[in-house]
Amino acid sequence: MGLLHAVPSHRRPVERLATVIGAERYARLRSTAAEFRAGFTGRTVWNVNSTAVGGGVAEILQALVGYVEDLDVAIRWLVIHGDADFFHITKRLHNAVHGQSDGSALGPAESDHYRRILAANAEALLELVHPGDVVLLHDPQTAGLAAPLVEAGAVVVWRSHIGVDDQNETTEAAWEFLRPYVIAAHGWVFSRRGYVPRWLTGDNLWIIPPSIDPFSAKNQDLDPGTVRAILATIGVLDGAAAAPGRFLRPDGSVGEVARTAAVVADSLPGAGDDLVIQVSRWDRLKDMGGVLHGFARHVAPDRTGYLALVGPSVAGVADDPEGAAVYRDCLAHWRSLPAAVRSRTLLVTLPLDDTDENAAMVNALQRHAGIVVQKSLAEGFGLTVAEAMWKGRPVIGSAIGGINDQIAPGTGVLLADPTDLPALGAAIRDLLADHGERTRMGSAAHAYVRDNFVGDLHLLRYAEVFSTLLAQARDGGRPGQAGSLAGPSR
Ligand code: UDP
């Protein structure tokens, strides 16, 4: 299959979810899966995206593909191949969909290259996909695959995990670039209603928020001793690990955090020191630099405690070419801080050699943090918010995009203006000073994630999308034709 890379997955026992979601939700998941399976014999659900590691889409697929396998529905996950120019174009598209332009146009040359790379991937994909299979294409990197797959008889859904509520000239131009590719699909899924481009109408549009897996290496319970051991091992906490930092891998085997992180710091926090973190890819729209600036200027002078900016190793995320430059900028910023402030801030890059080990590192950091920040300037959803909330952490997040859907009143703090550094500083200082409020928010946050963003809900919603489109295909109409569905768009 040449260009495509098949991501290996492991069955994740669905029955474990029952302990979190309760008997009723669990029974619904089981019965929906049984119904879906009955009409899907001999077919496969294919997921196609652009990276197996790093970022929210990979994180979600790792969990959902494993659960679907356990529900005995055939499912596969493939990663496309692209060259540096392709990922440069798709990164610009990603930024532009988020309203950020580098000033240059995405014109015919870019369109040609985008089409050429995806045509080569489509050729490989068509050797695998059979008529009647369902293909779920994720994000702009894969939109150009829709037309050839539809032509080959597959039922094709394009899912955008990104978007902004306020469209501007830049977002419109990005969507115009994508439009001919996107409209070829039979159905579309967005994380928020406001993200849907205005020209995409009709019935086959669904709004589905992302989800977390409570049992992944990223989110599973870790006792405080294990958390401290992992953080000492990776080099974020002062002192040696008292015991091995163990965690459960998705295949049920026991893993151990053995690698170290690359930590830039003048001094390290002790286990009892307050720690504020932001975990993100090194992406300008995550504004790690702004968090550093806000903490240095508005928190460090008045309060004790440390800030750690945590991201993946910048060599590791193939579809994110800007990572190294953003990290370099943060490093330069860190170096320029006054020594007293600098010694309270850490830049941490986590190795990606072993995805589960990387996830366990993030897990330990989120569990140890007294406050988790997500000061993004644009955010499709922001899985890091749900992850931290699941762990009972109070999150201070920008009131933008999907973060608005996650931080409900009383479950965290929304920053009305993500660029307002004094407000960020005040929110951090207030929470650092009020342990009781942190605990109250944290437990409300955990309950809110359980009720809204655990994977069973995500799977039920996908089952509805696929069943609807498969029924349309069975009824003889081309799925996606306007008017082929009775109900309104959801
Ligand atoms: N993440 C990770 N390792 C890192 C940094 C981030 O596993 O070193 C994960 C993070 O925990 C989250 C995902 O990457 O699961 C980021 O998803 P999010 O939706 O927050 O943002 P995206 O990167 O998709 O824009």
Side-chain angles (χ1 to χ4, degrees):
M1 80 187 172
L3 283 178
L4 297 165
H5 162 66
V7 184
S9 74
H10 298 283
R11 263 171 194 268
R12 298 195 181 200
V14 174
E15 67 187 21
R16 272 194 318 211
L17 285 175
T19 58
V20 169
I21 63 179
E24 207 175 299
R25 261 167 73 176
Y26 179 63
R28 203 161 139 234
L29 179 62
R30 280 269 178 218
S31 63
T32 304
E35 214 172 291
F36 184 79
R37 222 169 28 229
F40 201 64
T41 326
R43 307 180 197 211
T44 302
V45 177
W46 300 88
N47 280 278
V48 186
N49 83 323
S50 59
T51 178
V53 291
V57 181
E59 180 72 22
I60 294 166
L61 286 179
Q62 268 143 22
L64 293 191
V65 170
Y67 282 127
V68 171
E69 277 186 1
D70 198 48
L71 289 164
D72 288 328
V73 174
I75 185 162
R76 303 279 302 280
W77 173 10
L78 302 170
V79 168
I80 57 164
H81 178 80
D83 60 10
D85 284 347
F86 175 81
F87 286 125
H88 187 63
I89 292 165
T90 57
K91 183 71 193 185
R92 284 172 61 203
L93 270 173
H94 174 101
N95 289 343
V97 166
H98 281 145
Q100 312 278 322
S101 164
D102 62 4
S104 56
L106 283 158
E110 286 79 7
S111 207
D112 269 1
H113 192 70
Y114 176 85
R115 213 188 343 253
R116 203 143 25 91
I117 294 288
L118 288 176
N121 279 281
E123 213 172 291
L125 196 52
L126 291 179
E127 286 175 21
L128 302 168
V129 174
H130 294 106
D133 283 358
V134 169
V135 185
L136 182 51
L137 301 172
H138 297 268
D139 280 337
Q141 294 93 328
T142 65
L145 297 169
L149 285 163
V150 166
E151 212 162 293
V155 171
V156 180
V157 180
W158 185 70
R159 166 149 201 173
S160 174
H161 295 265
I162 62 175
V164 279
D165 289 321
D166 301 318
Q167 310 289 327
N168 61 22
E169 260 178 35
T170 303
T171 60
E172 301 261 342
W175 284 119
E176 271 314 307
F177 181 103
L178 287 167
R179 181 176 179 163
Y181 309 108
V182 166
I183 55 169
H186 297 126
W188 303 272
V189 176
F190 289 80
S191 298
R192 303 195 92 203
R193 171 74 50 195
Y195 296 173
V196 182
R198 74 193 147 63
W199 42 261
L200 194 57
T201 54
D203 291 326
N204 286 350
L205 258 177
W206 284 266
I207 305 303
I208 303 183
S211 61
I212 62 149
D213 174 19
F215 298 98
S216 65
K218 175 74 52 72
N219 297 313
Q220 66 190 229
D221 277 346
L222 298 174
D223 61 68
T226 302
V227 166
R228 281 195 298 275
I230 292 175
L231 297 189
T233 302
I234 69 174
V236 166
L237 276 191
D238 205 11
R246 298 210 170 104
F247 62 93
L248 265 188
R249 293 186 185 274
D251 66 2
S253 66
V254 175
E256 186 175 322
V257 172
R259 290 184 176 82
T260 55
V263 179
V264 173
D266 286 344
S267 74
L268 295 178
D273 287 316
D274 279 321
L275 181 67
V276 178
I277 66 167
Q278 174 163 303
V279 178
S280 295
R281 286 179 298 105
W282 302 97
D283 179 317
R284 294 202 194 284
L285 295 173
K286 308 288 183 182
D287 201 19
M288 293 283 226
V291 180
L292 185 57
H293 205 85
F295 185 88
R297 174 90 49 96
H298 303 289
V299 181
D302 302 323
R303 299 266 334 166
T304 57
Y306 287 75
L307 169 74
L309 298 177
V310 181
S313 155
V314 287
V317 186
D319 71 339
D320 193 3
E322 280 176 10
V326 172
Y327 177 74
R328 258 196 321 274
D329 288 353
C330 275
L331 187 57
H333 188 165
W334 180 85
R335 286 202 178 105
S336 72
L337 292 174
V341 171
R342 198 174 60 222
S343 68
R344 306 256 307 282
T345 57
L346 295 75
L347 301 187
V348 181
T349 58
L350 303 178
L352 283 166
D353 314 63
D354 174 338
T355 318
D356 299 330
E357 185 192 40
N358 173 280
M361 294 174 184
V362 173
N363 189 343
L365 282 156
Q366 288 169 330
R367 284 185 189 280
H368 186 75
I371 297 171
V372 174
V373 173
Q374 192 59 55
K375 202 192 87 59
S376 307
L377 304 175
E379 194 64 79
F381 183 70
L383 266 188
T384 48
V385 173
E387 289 165 2
M389 290 172 72
W390 174 253
K391 291 159 188 122
R393 302 296 93 197
V395 179
I396 301 173
S398 305
I400 47 146
I403 298 179
N404 280 316
D405 296 332
Q406 298 178 74
I407 302 185
T411 67
V413 178
L414 279 172
L415 282 179
D417 174 0
T419 63
D420 185 346
L421 298 185
L424 169 72
I428 295 176
R429 287 195 314 270
D430 288 351
L431 277 180
L432 281 177
D434 191 344
H435 202 271
E437 180 65 356
R438 277 196 261 165
T439 309
R440 275 189 297 280
M441 271 185 183
S443 65
H446 175 81
Y448 197 73
V449 171
R450 181 196 60 219
D451 294 346
N452 293 283
F453 304 117
V454 173
D456 63 311
L457 300 171
H458 206 159
L459 291 177
L460 290 176
R461 289 165 177 145
Y462 272 142
E464 189 205 329
V465 174
F466 299 163
S467 301
T468 303
L469 295 175
L470 287 163
Q472 288 174 10
R474 262 198 308 274
D475 293 347
R478 174 190 180 276
Q481 267 175 348
S484 53
L485 252 187
S489 63
R490 299 117 280 218

